[in-house]
Structures are given as C-alpha cells and as structure tokens.
Amino acid sequence: KQEVTQIPAALSVPEGENLVLNCSFTDSAIYNLQWFRQDPGKGLTSLLLIQSSQREQTSGRLNASLDKSSGRSTLYIAASQPGDSATYLCAVGDSGNTPLVFGKGTRLSVIA
Amino acid sequence: GAVVSQHPSWVICKSGTSVKIECRSLDFQATTMFWYRQFPKQSLMLMATSNEGSKATYEQGVEKDKFLINHASLTLSTLTVTSAHPEDSSFYICSAPGSLGYEQYFGPGTRLTVT
C-alpha cells in the first residue's frame, strides 16, 4: 500500500528565504506526482505535476523534482513571500485514472 | 484547464438529517470521480470511487449505506450523507481524471457541519 510522507510538518521562515519541502513515497511504481497548495478552509490548488518520465517541473518561483528510484520529491520555493503561507500537499498516483494518495502536508508560514 | 465544481460549498445540518453534495465536471466528461474526506489539520483520505453506470467502490472502513454515491451522468456524481452525525463534520472534496489521462482535477470542496 502506497504511503506518502512529508517533512517537515510545519515550517516558519522569514520573507525572502529560499526553502525546500520534502516528500517521500514507499512504492516507486508511480505514474505521476502532484504538488498542491491549500489555504485554510479552502480547496486544493494544483501547483506542479510531474509525470513518471520527467525529473522536474518549474512554474515561476516553484521547482519540483522527482527521483522515482529513491521515492522522493522536493518542492523548492525561491524568494518566499508572505502570500506563500499555506499548507503544501504532495500526492502520487499509480495511473492516470486512479485516486491520488496524499501526504499530510507541510504548513508553511512566511514571516514579513 | 478542466473545471470541477461542487455544490454546496458549505452546509450546516442537524443530526439525523441527510445532506446531498454534488460534484460536476463542467467542460469534460468523467466516467470516474473520486470522493475524499479531510478532517481538520489532516490530509485527504479517499472515501470512494464513483463510476458512471455502475456501483461505487468504497474504501475500507467507509459505510456504503451511510455515504450513498450516485454517478448519474458523465458529468455529475452525488454524495449523500445519510443520518448525519457530528462526527461526519468534515471537508468533502471530489476529483475527476482529465481527458488526457494524467492529471486529476479537484472541486473546491464542501464543508459539512452537523450540529
């Protein structure tokens, strides 16, 4: 059974700092990996999707990497801003039409 | 991009009553939809898989007689929480695979509070 772990559970950084969020999964036979952002009391915002054949994806200040063989992904946020404060969720899928398995998330606070 | 909507966005109901939550794919067809539940400060946990034209598949520990799922058409799945109890209070989110087959699109969620 696939399990997804995210470290750290919470992180507080000063504005402007670069940071890395970690995600690990137990079964490397994944189809894709998605990073989401969730604001308090809100739904999910998809940030980046990495297909199993890819090693990284970039969007603006965000960069996500995937190492299937080691079962790890990282989300790098450059020049963090207070508006980046949210919970970041990592999720993996073992095919395009199966449900995602989510980690518990990392709660990020960026202090102005 | 593909859009999934949910209705209502929030609902408060009394213990013992039933509540129906709708999940719609607005600009694509979805033969499969997934229903997740998220308790406060917890992650999303899959409850069930909704299949158009056939019975839903429930995860272990989820009562199928309590959480009724109907995939009425290729764009609509409904989740009915029957005889709701305060412990059913949660954030319910649905998703559907996109037409390209590699990305999931999530609805905005429904917050259910049972008093």
Side-chain angles (χ1 to χ4, degrees):
Chain A
K1 179 182 175 183
Q2 179 74 269
E3 293 183 1
V4 178
T5 303
Q6 291 187 247
I7 295 173
L11 180 64
S12 183
V13 300
E15 181 178 7
E17 192 164 296
N18 302 325
L19 58 101
V20 175
L21 307 182
N22 297 291
C23 171
S24 62
F25 44 94
T26 54
D27 186 347
S28 62
I30 64 170
Y31 182 79
N32 58 28
L33 183 147
Q34 279 186 261
W35 282 93
F36 296 88
R37 168 185 174 140
Q38 186 175 32
D39 292 290
K42 302 295 184 182
L44 305 179
T45 299
S46 180
L47 298 174
L48 290 165
L49 177 144
I50 309 177
Q51 296 184 65
S52 61
S53 59
Q54 300 172 327
R55 293 193 63 83
E56 67 175 347
Q57 284 287 333
T58 298
S59 176
R61 294 183 292 109
L62 306 180
N63 176 276
S65 67
L66 173 63
D67 185 342
K68 271 186 59 175
S69 61
S70 67
R72 295 181 181 181
S73 175
T74 61
L75 179 66
Y76 175 83
I77 302 177
S80 59
Q81 303 171 358
D84 295 331
S85 298
T87 295
Y88 290 81
L89 295 166
C90 168
V92 298
D94 60 11
S95 83
N97 292 307
T98 55
L100 298 179
V101 178
F102 284 82
K104 292 185 176 181
T106 295
R107 293 190 305 281
L108 172 65
S109 296
V110 181
I111 311 301
Chain B
V3 178
V4 175
S5 70
Q6 278 185 246
H7 178 79
S9 56
W10 60 269
V11 57
I12 301 173
C13 70
K14 293 186 176 181
S15 185
T17 61
S18 296
V19 174
K20 179 185 286 187
I21 302 170
E22 294 185 347
C23 176
R24 293 182 185 272
S25 56
L26 297 185
D27 49 4
F28 67 103
Q29 294 182 335
T31 57
T32 299
M33 292 183 176
F34 305 110
W35 286 95
Y36 299 82
R37 179 168 53 184
Q38 185 181 36
F39 291 109
K41 298 189 177 181
Q42 299 293 316
S43 191
L44 278 75
M45 296 297 293
L46 180 70
M47 295 178 64
T49 300
S50 173
N51 303 297
E52 191 270 336
S54 64
K55 292 183 178 180
T57 304
Y58 291 83
E59 294 300 296
Q60 189 174 8
V62 177
E63 300 175 57
K64 60 182 178 182
D65 294 331
K66 179 173 183 61
F67 298 98
L68 301 180
I69 291 174
N70 181 27
H71 202 130
S73 72
L74 289 173
T75 59
L76 174 64
S77 174
T78 60
L79 167 67
T80 301
V81 183
T82 63
S83 187
H85 289 270
E87 55 265 33
D88 298 325
S89 298
S90 186
F91 194 52
Y92 293 86
I93 305 179
C94 67
S95 76
S99 58
L100 295 180
Y102 59 80
E103 187 165 0
Q104 297 264 341
Y105 296 97
F106 283 78
T110 297
R111 182 158 307 280
L112 170 64
T113 302
V114 184
T115 61

